[in-house]
Amino acid sequence: MLKVIGFLLLIHSAISLIRYRKHLIYKDMADQYHIPLDILLEIIVGFALNMFFGVIMDKKFANIHEFAHKKTYDQAFQRPNFRQPGGRGGVLQSVVKDKIGNFDINH
């Protein structure tokens, strides 16, 4: 619920800034543009609510330091045949194989 309130605060502050900018242009004071304190506080509170309740309180963090397999740097980047793992060749290989036969160098 508080995530929604934070999101609504950010939307309202954006609309308020647009209205304030239009008011300054109408009054021919566009060169005196600054963010009013109430809108700035609304932005900070909305951002804090979204960060705290949207990210920190969800606690859906995954450990990025655990891997299913342990490989060294050389093992991870070793490609004996120097073929790219993906690309147009891999996608089109089955189509070309049907049309002209097997064209792979290794076979």
Side-chain angles (χ1 to χ4, degrees):
M1 179 66 183
L2 290 174
K3 288 189 284 187
V4 174
I5 292 172
F7 182 72
L8 290 175
L9 280 174
L10 287 176
I11 294 295
H12 184 263
S13 64
I15 292 170
S16 298
L17 276 175
I18 291 170
R19 287 182 180 169
Y20 179 69
R21 179 76 174 153
K22 285 183 181 180
H23 173 73
L24 286 180
I25 291 172
Y26 178 72
K27 294 287 186 181
D28 207 18
M29 298 183 326
D31 55 342
Q32 300 174 5
Y33 179 71
H34 66 283
I35 299 176
L37 186 61
D38 59 337
I39 296 176
L40 186 61
L41 289 175
E42 191 175 10
I43 291 170
I44 292 170
V45 169
F47 182 74
L49 283 175
N50 279 336
M51 285 299 293
F52 187 72
F53 290 104
V55 175
I56 296 171
M57 294 301 286
D58 280 347
K59 295 183 182 177
K60 295 179 183 175
F61 301 118
N63 190 358
I64 61 171
H65 299 290
E66 292 181 6
F67 298 103
H69 47 66
K70 301 286 184 187
K71 286 187 176 181
T72 64
Y73 180 82
D74 292 330
Q75 290 172 341
F77 292 104
Q78 179 184 15
R79 294 193 320 258
N81 57 5
F82 296 103
R83 294 165 96 186
Q84 293 292 331
R88 293 179 300 228
V91 174
L92 297 175
Q93 186 173 6
S94 62
V95 175
V96 174
K97 198 180 281 189
D98 291 341
K99 299 291 182 187
I100 62 172
N102 191 0
F103 66 93
D104 197 4
I105 297 173
N106 295 330
H107 296 313

